[in-house]
Amino acid sequence: MRDEQGHPAPTGPLILGIETSCDDTACAVLDGRGRVLASVVSSQLDVHRPFGGVVPEIASREHLRNWLPVEAEALERAGIELSDVDTVAATRGPGLIGALLVGLSLGKALAYSLRASFHAVHHLEGHIYSPYLGAAGEPAREPPASFVALVVSGGHTSLYRVAAGSVTALAETRDDAMGEVFDKVGKRLGLPYPQGPVVDRLAESGDPAMHPFSVAACSDGSTDFSYSGLKSQTLLAIEALERQGVRAPAGGVDDGFPRQLTDLLAGFRVAAVGQILDRLERVRSSEPFDHLAVSGGVAANRLLRREITRWCADRDVELELVSLEYSGDNAAMIAHAALRRERAGAAHDDPLEAEAASRIAF
Ligand code: KG4
Ligand code: ZN
């Protein structure tokens, strides 16, 4: 049997995923082969933009307001009824506690009332396996038994070793996350939230050689990341240009940027991406790997995508780079993590017991 797009009919179990850890209200439906039948993400960008960043209390309220239409759209696109759902998966953390509580509580209530099985999913587990989600109608791919995962987002810059389903941290940021620094640099220039993609676009037209920044290393030789030094250097360099009368255009627009500023952003971006490549090299020399999975919102960064592709090709490392559709927060990755748990025979979570947490280690 095939659906109207010519895709094979879904196979059970049908999994409903819920993601509300930050400012995206997301609902997705996956089938038992990991095919994404629907993935709906309602962004709250317009609501948070006047504040230049996410306001936690507003995010929680917006999740409540958005949920029913987002859920209805996901079910409609997937061509199923709520009663068809076999498994419910919701993010339990890490993230903004109020925002997490909305999605997790919805998931618990749905699972309980539908008598569906329930998984309270670690947000980063969702990102880690997201590169293996297929294009529309394609089943999810199976990762190798052991691989290294890089998660780069607004909250995380982390490297993990994933082996036989268990995740071990190899490196973590000691201060700011990479996306956070893109956002802060862009905010200083008056760009609209989220600033990361705009800074990336502006950097494309700059010449990094005109404004080089060094790649930060941890003084104790660790493979951990550190972005606060680069952030301070970049903010100071913006200030120095301003003293010379070089300014970003007023009103948060990204056209008409002076050449010196796009050069500066290009130099900043090269150093930010350079740190990722530096840490990958260091990890590889102590913990050889031949498979790398890259995910998270910053995995949309154009330079990162180009450089990491080249880095892997030069070293015969197989690369799974998350598709742009699933790089930012989404619920397909949460449903996918739950499906992997089901397949591995992991215990279900009790919908009456599961608790949200803003910080959780693996
Ligand atoms: O994974 P995500 O949607 O949410 C978190 O879990 O943090 O990542 C959002 C982050 C934001 O900091 C955003 O500015 C950044 O990803 N981002 C980018 C790009 N696209 C999104 N940063 C740099 N370049 C991009 N193209
Ligand atoms: Zn995320």
Side-chain angles (χ1 to χ4, degrees), residues 73-219:
E73 192 176 336
L75 293 172
E76 193 190 322
R77 281 199 212 165
I80 66 162
E81 305 284 330
L82 201 47
S83 55
D84 296 326
V85 169
D86 301 294
T87 301
V88 176
T91 306
R92 70 185 166 100
L96 302 172
I97 191 66
L100 286 164
L101 276 169
V102 175
L104 189 72
S105 307
L106 282 163
K108 289 161 70 170
L110 276 175
Y112 189 75
S113 60
L114 293 169
R115 296 181 198 288
S117 48
F118 181 64
H119 291 277
V121 174
H122 195 300
H123 181 75
L124 293 176
E125 193 178 331
H127 277 303
I128 285 172
Y129 293 105
S130 62
Y132 301 94
L133 283 166
E138 298 289 322
R141 293 181 302 280
E142 188 57 28
S146 171
F147 63 98
V148 165
L150 168 70
V151 181
V152 263
S153 71
H156 298 272
T157 313
S158 316
L159 278 166
Y160 301 101
R161 163 73 70 182
V162 187
S166 79
V167 179
T168 318
L170 297 173
E172 178 54 86
T173 181
R174 292 200 172 168
D175 36 61
D176 293 351
M178 186 169 164
E180 192 182 348
V181 171
F182 270 77
D183 292 337
K184 285 178 178 164
V185 165
K187 189 172 179 180
R188 176 67 180 74
L189 295 170
L191 293 169
Y193 170 81
Q195 294 85 358
V198 191
V199 169
D200 183 26
R201 192 166 61 239
L202 285 165
E204 284 285 290
S205 61
D207 178 358
M210 297 302 289
H211 211 124
F213 291 93
S214 53
V215 169
C218 284
S219 52

Side-chain angles (χ1 to χ4, degrees), residues 207-245:
D207 178 358
M210 297 302 289
H211 211 124
F213 291 93
S214 53
V215 169
C218 284
S219 52
D220 56 6
S222 129
T223 47
D224 277 344
F225 298 92
S226 169
Y227 277 102
S228 70
L230 176 62
K231 177 185 69 183
S232 308
Q233 284 175 39
T234 309
L235 296 179
L236 285 172
I238 293 172
E239 224 171 278
L241 281 179
E242 282 177 350
R243 279 198 299 273
Q244 296 164 29

Side-chain angles (χ1 to χ4, degrees), residues 229-299:
L230 176 62
K231 177 185 69 183
S232 308
Q233 284 175 39
T234 309
L235 296 179
L236 285 172
I238 293 172
E239 224 171 278
L241 281 179
E242 282 177 350
R243 279 198 299 273
Q244 296 164 29
V246 180
R247 286 172 193 284
V253 291
D254 62 299
D255 52 345
F257 253 67
R259 180 82 209 180
Q260 289 104 310
L261 272 177
T262 51
D263 288 347
L264 185 148
L265 292 179
F268 156 76
R269 187 178 66 158
V270 163
V273 171
Q275 188 175 149
I276 301 283
L277 302 181
D278 174 78
R279 300 309 194 264
L280 284 173
E281 201 64 68
R282 285 170 193 249
V283 164
R284 192 164 158 270
S285 62
S286 56
E287 282 244 1
F289 59 90
D290 55 15
H291 194 109
L292 177 68
V294 179
S295 61
V298 187

